[in-house]
Amino acid sequence: MQVLPTGLTGLVLLGLVGCLSPQRSTRGRLLAAAGAVGAFVVLVLLRRLAGAEPQEAQQLLNGLFLGSIFALIALGYTMVYGVLKLINFAHGEVFMVGAYVAFLVVTVYRQTPALAVLMALLVAMLVCAGLGVAIERCAYRPLRQAPRLAALITAIGVSLLLQNLALLLLGATPKTIPSVLSTRPLEVIEWHSGLLVSRLNLVSLGAATALMVALQLFVSRTRPGRAMRAVSEDREAAQLMGIDVDQVIVLTFVIGSALAGAGGVLWGLRYASVAPDVGVLPGLKAFVAAVLGGIGSIPGAAVGGLLIGLTDVLVSAVSLSPQMLCQVLLTTVMLVAFWRLSQARLAALPHTRQGRLLRVVGALTVAASCWVVGGLAALGLTPYLATEPTVESLSGSTFSDAVVFFLLIVILIVKPTGLMGTYAPEKV
Amino acid sequence: MNRLRLPLLTLLVSLPVLLTGCPAPPPPADSGAAPTPGAPASASTSAAPGDAAASGNSAGSTTTWGPADGLSLGGYMSLTDSLSSFGQSSNKGMGLAIEEINAKGGVNGQQLTLHMEDSASKQEEAKNAVRRLLDKHQAKVVIGEVASSLSLAVAPDCQAAKVPMVSPSSTNPTLTAKGDFIFRTCFTDDQQGAYVAKFALTKGWKAGVILRDINSDYSKGQSAVITKRFTAGGGKIVSDEGYTQKQPDFSSVLTKVKAKNPDVIFVPGYYNEAGLIIKQARELGIKAAIVGADGWDSPVLKELAGDLLNDNCYFVNHYSKTEDRPRVKEFVAAYKAKFNEEPDALAACAYDSIYVVAEAIKAAGSTEPQAIRDALAKVQNYDGVTGQITIDAQRNASKPCVVLAFKDGQEVIETTLQPSDV
């Protein structure tokens, strides 16, 4: 009973990644999307027919809503990295400013909900775009020729500066945003499927999707977008071709920061509470998302954001015994180590049907044996695992953050370029 | 462009300096001029100190209550950041007590001075604050914190310096076990958790879920006690879930909880997260009762949860401002007159703690920390706002509690529980 929903949940995830992957053909992507939707519908029906609430499907939706915000923030990280090769650690603070703008605007326009949301998005995107440009002009441009480490440290400095400025100007006490969009579940959807989706969720997902599609179109179809891609590919060559690199970089900051601002507004509307450090954790998670998707890749950031949101939520939804958790951890570590050690030999296997079969069988054998060894080790460790005597199983909600950041380490070891990044050798 | 860059950069860099350089409104500066004796809470003392502090703009600021040269007491509270609601209330409660005592002539003929430092809701800041109290202000007694994690962080420092530390409202049981100089004037989580479990059991709730803050000693300690007592009384914990401070999203954990169909959800945490949990749980259609403890006591809870609070939410607390005891009525009137707002339980606990310390100093007849410590250990039946305070052999106070519900956004007393009930 538990295997089927888990498998279906996995299928939905795979389909989601597949349909957003730029490496596939349009037909392949449509198929993957259809697969994801199909698996999702089966997942809902499975529970509904058994007379229960479709909790797995609900959790997938929860993850999707959360992930769409992470995706918006991750886009800013990835775009700036693309053109400047700089991790803009001040990005989370731009997000925070967006949330504060939401607080101010919504408080002013609280009588007219639709206008309040639109105005908040618009004003926050404008303010954050301006802030992004100011940061670039004051902090990063003077360091354009400096070693990359200097720029990175400056980014951390800007992040702390903005956080402390907010602390001084707005105070540490969290501000409560008046609720203008109902967070109550829509009855129509609940009645038909048992899924709980609020108007706010729909608006938030819709806004995030619209912004991401617009960005993708902008980058792939317009002249400035092409210039941006050119700069990210090779800055000097682009300059030689007559592209104003400074202008492109400013444009990147404008777009990236505006998206973070929009993310901040959606976050603020959803959770109703803003404090100066509101950007720290979402910022870090979005950074993990950008790396997971392949830093520098725009579709990668979208996929990474969704996957991090889903991971966060799905991990919270499971319960594991401490031994099981230990086993999972040990197995992951062993698999990662094995991957590192045998990577070259695996790549050397011939790209024939036989070679592929060998790889699949080999991988399964290794995974199974790691699982068994991990299990035995966990059993041995049991007396040393710290648990409270009353707790039989650990809820995933107690370690979901840890899993997200553990994922960063695994990605960096196994596939440092991320899911959709391309390998770019350091130019000498 | 280049000419513009330098001034811009200078401005950006100097902005925080300029801002901090501004003289922060010194909150109780005017309170040094003691109000007329007998009417300690004269309305002439404006509400400005409270407002200035409540705006929370004074990050890392300090405050002094009483004359500059009185007997030095040290307070540390989270005047800023996520637990600032607790810190601000406690600060006001303590300030009121100091002014009342000074107006009546002080202790043993000496005026009291309370140096209040900001522990900013963080353990490292709490340590810094207490260092300043011990080294710079030479405090004879240190009073603070609300959050158990913060009290626990600095208890070893006070113990090592052999300066008595009195926590007005940290309930984690391990606190006073840190040493013989560590006291508290409130009940422990052993007692509070027992009250929570007892209340749930008397309501007939059987299936419970615990949602705890995994980084808070307060929340973890209380969860353990609730689990033990609730299970012993015939209840069953069907799910034990965790969250972290400042986590905004509970949808996944609540979706999971909903599927377990509990009668009651225990949220032994602080108001920010409790408010969000109540809001998100009700929006997900969870009808179960939601029960918490003194960590909920803040107006922020009402801001976050709104009308949803009226519906089957309860919390155990030290006292209620609507209680019908003369001591409570006097305190509420004096507090309202001074700060123009209703005192919450943390203000009351903080107020009591200052009076207990003053009693001890009076009894000791000395200002030596060692003598004050010995006197504190002997405090018997002090009639406080939050009930009779007797310091027991473990340096804790055993006290009754009130269980509060909400009606039209106002706290109402659901029931009262005595130590003998659990």
Side-chain angles (χ1 to χ4, degrees), chain A residues 53 55 58-59 62 138 171-173 176 183-185 196 267 270-271 277 313 316-319 391 395 397-398, chain B residues 1 9 19 56-57 81 84 214 227 240-242 246 248-249 251-253 255-256 258-259 276 283-284 303 308:
Chain A
E53 281 168 5
Q55 22 161 341
Q58 179 70 49
Q59 296 289 23
N62 293 342
C138 300
T173 318
T176 309
T183 42
R184 297 223 169 240
L196 305 169
W267 185 275
R270 207 170 137 88
Y271 304 122
D277 57 355
V313 163
S316 305
V318 297
S319 292
V391 182
S395 166
S397 52
T398 54
Chain B
M1 234 10 112
L9 203 65
L19 284 164
N57 282 359
D81 215 332
S84 57
I214 53 169
T227 308
D240 187 325
E241 303 291 334
K246 297 193 175 166
D249 189 85
S251 59
S252 81
V253 83
T255 302
K256 190 170 154 195
K258 192 185 180 196
L276 287 169
E283 282 163 6
L284 284 172
E303 277 176 36
L308 300 169

Side-chain angles (χ1 to χ4, degrees), chain A residues 178-237:
Chain A
S179 87
V180 282
L181 268 181
S182 168
T183 42
R184 297 223 169 240
L186 290 172
E187 283 177 13
V188 194
I189 302 177
E190 193 180 356
W191 178 252
H192 285 291
S193 62
L195 294 171
L196 305 169
V197 180
S198 69
R199 183 164 293 151
L200 177 64
N201 283 333
L202 287 181
V203 169
S204 152
L205 188 63
T209 316
L211 287 170
M212 281 188 262
V213 169
L215 177 67
Q216 182 62 29
L217 288 178
F218 173 80
V219 171
S220 59
R221 300 280 166 83
T222 64
R223 271 180 81 86
R226 198 184 305 160
M228 205 180 271
R229 277 184 294 150
V231 172
S232 96
E233 204 143 292
D234 189 329
R235 195 198 296 173
E236 273 149 33

Side-chain angles (χ1 to χ4, degrees), chain A residues 61-125:
Chain A
L61 282 184
N62 293 342
L64 201 63
F65 297 136
L66 187 63
S68 62
I69 301 181
F70 286 148
L72 278 183
I73 317 173
L75 283 170
Y77 274 114
T78 237
M79 288 172 66
V80 168
Y81 186 85
V83 299
L84 274 186
K85 301 285 174 283
L86 162 76
I87 309 277
N88 179 14
F89 274 114
H91 200 59
E93 275 54 52
V94 177
F95 167 87
M96 174 267 291
V97 170
Y100 268 109
V101 172
F103 163 70
L104 292 175
V105 175
V106 170
T107 310
V108 172
Y109 288 99
R110 70 172 89 188
Q111 306 305 337
T112 46
L115 187 66
V117 175
L118 272 180
M119 283 300 285
L121 275 173
L122 211 67
V123 176
M125 288 174 78

Side-chain angles (χ1 to χ4, degrees), chain B residues 66-373:
Chain B
D69 55 348
L71 176 62
S72 175
L73 305 179
Y76 65 104
M77 284 289 166
S78 296
L79 302 177
T80 58
D81 215 332
S82 59
L83 300 177
S84 57
S85 168
F86 291 164
Q88 295 291 350
S89 291
S90 302
N91 180 32
K92 290 175 199 165
M94 287 157 86
L96 177 63
I98 292 281
E99 289 186 358
E100 284 181 12
I101 292 168
N102 283 345
K104 286 178 199 146
V107 178
N108 301 339
Q110 204 173 359
Q111 294 278 296
L112 298 181
T113 305
L114 179 71
H115 300 282
M116 178 64 72
E117 295 275 348
D118 182 12
S119 43
S121 315
K122 294 182 193 75
Q123 297 189 5
E124 60 275 19
E125 289 297 326
K127 279 189 102 72
N128 290 337
V130 167
R131 267 292 118 225
R132 286 194 293 273
L133 292 175
L134 294 176
D135 299 343
K136 184 173 150 206
H137 298 300
Q138 300 282 322
K140 306 293 181 202
V141 181
V142 170
I143 301 130
E145 241 286 352
V146 179
S148 296
S149 304
L150 303 183
S151 298
L152 281 165
V154 301
D157 298 86
C158 293
Q159 178 67 28
K162 299 228 173 288
V163 169
M165 168 178 144
V166 179
S167 168
S169 39
S170 283
T171 48
N172 188 290
T174 58
L175 174 63
T176 45
K178 289 279 173 197
D180 58 350
F181 276 79
I182 315 298
F183 294 82
R184 84 179 100 215
T185 52
C186 58
F187 46 59
T188 65
D189 283 331
D190 284 338
Q191 200 169 21
Q192 181 165 229
Y195 284 141
V196 171
K198 175 78 186 174
F199 171 69
L201 289 167
T202 47
K203 279 276 189 177
W205 298 323
K206 292 290 175 216
V209 165
I210 286 199
L211 253 174
R212 62 202 160 95
D213 181 342
I214 53 169
N215 293 328
S216 143
D217 293 317
Y218 164 77
S219 193
K220 281 192 290 190
Q222 215 182 92
S223 300
V225 179
I226 293 175
T227 308
K228 200 171 107 205
R229 294 293 190 128
F230 190 63
T231 322
K236 186 171 167 19
I237 298 294
V238 292
S239 183
D240 187 325
E241 303 291 334
Y243 62 85
T244 50
Q245 210 179 51
K246 297 193 175 166
Q247 173 180 336
D249 189 85
F250 300 89
S251 59
S252 81
V253 83
L254 289 171
T255 302
K256 190 170 154 195
V257 163
K258 192 185 180 196
K260 309 255 182 190
N261 209 5
D263 301 320
V264 53
I265 301 174
F266 297 110
V267 187
Y270 295 126
Y271 53 90
N272 279 322
E273 290 80 19
L276 287 169
I277 288 170
I278 292 168
K279 182 164 179 265
Q280 294 178 23
R282 294 295 182 242
E283 282 163 6
L284 284 172
I286 297 175
K287 304 266 187 323
I290 303 180
V291 181
D294 61 341
W296 282 25
D297 191 10
S298 159
V300 177
L301 185 79
K302 283 166 213 153
E303 277 176 36
L304 287 171
D307 295 343
L308 300 169
L309 262 184
N310 300 334
D311 181 20
N312 221 3
C313 297
Y314 307 89
F315 75 101
V316 164
N317 210 351
H318 303 270
Y319 103 118
S320 164
K321 54 182 180 265
T322 55
E323 269 179 272
D324 197 22
R325 280 188 286 129
R327 191 84 176 86
V328 174
K329 286 187 167 163
E330 279 167 33
F331 166 68
V332 171
Y335 191 94
K336 255 191 197 160
K338 182 157 180 63
F339 301 111
N340 199 20
E341 64 181 47
E342 307 262 347
D344 56 21
L346 297 154
C349 284
Y351 177 87
D352 276 353
S353 70
I354 292 289
Y355 268 99
V356 168
V357 168
E359 285 287 308
I361 298 173
K362 201 185 288 173
S366 152
T367 56
E368 278 313 300
Q370 177 69 48
I372 299 175
R373 188 223 85 91

